[in-house]
Amino acid sequence: MMALLLHLFLFAGFFLGWCLWLFHRLRIPAEQTPVVSMCALSVVTYLFGLVNLFGLIQPVLYGGGILLGLWTLFRQGPKLLRRFVTLPMIGFGLVCGWFMLLLRGAAVEGHDNFAHWAIVAKSILTHNAFPTAANTAVEYVSYPPGTAVWIKLVCDLLGTSDGTMLFAHIILNMACILALIPLCRKSLA
């Protein structure tokens, strides 16, 4: 149980560190930082994965997120947190926590074209490399593995269960919905 809590703490530190840094440095609205950081982390991991260097970049991204978050908090202090912690961000955190509990022990059952990301993610997690034509489990090797790369980042930190894969996929979807909030505010003004 302590190992799980430590991994959750590391994941929260890694992810929130990147979000805080993006919020401060690039002045992105707080509600858009989760999806921007997920996409940026996935692209960087994808580029290193093309040359089979997953093992090199992942610790750099994990440590970099924690260090950037601590540095940003140290430099900016509580005033940054007051601007970053908005009602939608609190809701996002609560929904993520709820899905983490809900999906514990869940399984990805069945296969269809919409669940192909799970097969690609399992292949990447198992072989620590992108699927090739020799991998018979993956039907579409030309499939863009963006979601699967994000799932790999999360699973390598939290564990490689189906429930963790579903959690990573759902928080990506929730982050996309959260990113629409600043756009809705602008249209209402």
Side-chain angles (χ1 to χ4, degrees):
M1 185 63 162
M2 287 303 277
L4 176 65
L5 291 175
L6 175 65
H7 287 188
L8 284 172
F9 182 73
L10 288 173
F11 174 73
F14 142 74
F15 185 58
L16 287 174
W18 283 109
C19 289
L20 279 171
W21 182 78
L22 286 169
F23 177 70
H24 169 66
R25 186 51 104 189
L26 300 181
R27 309 230 186 273
I28 297 173
E31 295 86 3
Q32 292 177 343
T33 59
V35 74
V36 171
S37 63
M38 288 175 187
C39 292
L41 292 165
S42 296
V43 167
V44 170
T45 306
Y46 174 76
L47 293 173
F48 276 78
L50 288 175
V51 290
N52 288 330
L53 292 175
F54 280 126
L56 174 69
I57 194 61
Q58 284 184 247
V60 171
L61 294 176
Y62 296 145
I66 292 169
L67 292 175
L68 281 173
L70 291 173
W71 179 79
T72 303
L73 282 175
F74 177 74
R75 300 277 303 201
Q76 298 300 312
K79 66 179 180 176
L80 177 76
L81 280 178
R82 279 193 293 271
R83 290 190 343 253
F84 182 77
V85 180
T86 62
L87 189 58
M89 291 298 284
I90 292 169
F92 177 71
L94 291 173
V95 167
C96 287
W98 181 68
F99 274 113
M100 172 65 85
L101 293 173
L102 183 69
L103 295 171
R104 219 177 140 161
V108 176
E109 302 209 11
H111 171 320
D112 60 13
N113 289 338
F114 295 110
H116 188 68
W117 59 267
I119 295 167
V120 174
K122 283 182 183 182
S123 174
I124 293 172
L125 285 165
T126 303
H127 303 293
N128 205 31
F130 288 126
T132 62
N135 188 335
T136 57
V138 178
E139 295 173 19
Y140 314 107
V141 291
S142 62
Y143 177 81
T147 303
V149 172
W150 167 249
I151 291 168
K152 178 179 177 27
L153 275 171
V154 174
C155 287
D156 281 347
L157 206 54
L158 295 181
T160 56
S161 70
D162 283 5
T164 306
M165 288 184 0
L166 288 166
F167 169 72
H169 190 70
I170 285 174
I171 64 170
L172 177 62
N173 291 331
M174 295 306 299
C176 292
I177 293 168
L178 180 69
L180 297 174
I181 290 175
L183 302 174
C184 293
R185 283 187 197 138
K186 288 179 184 177
S187 69
L188 292 175

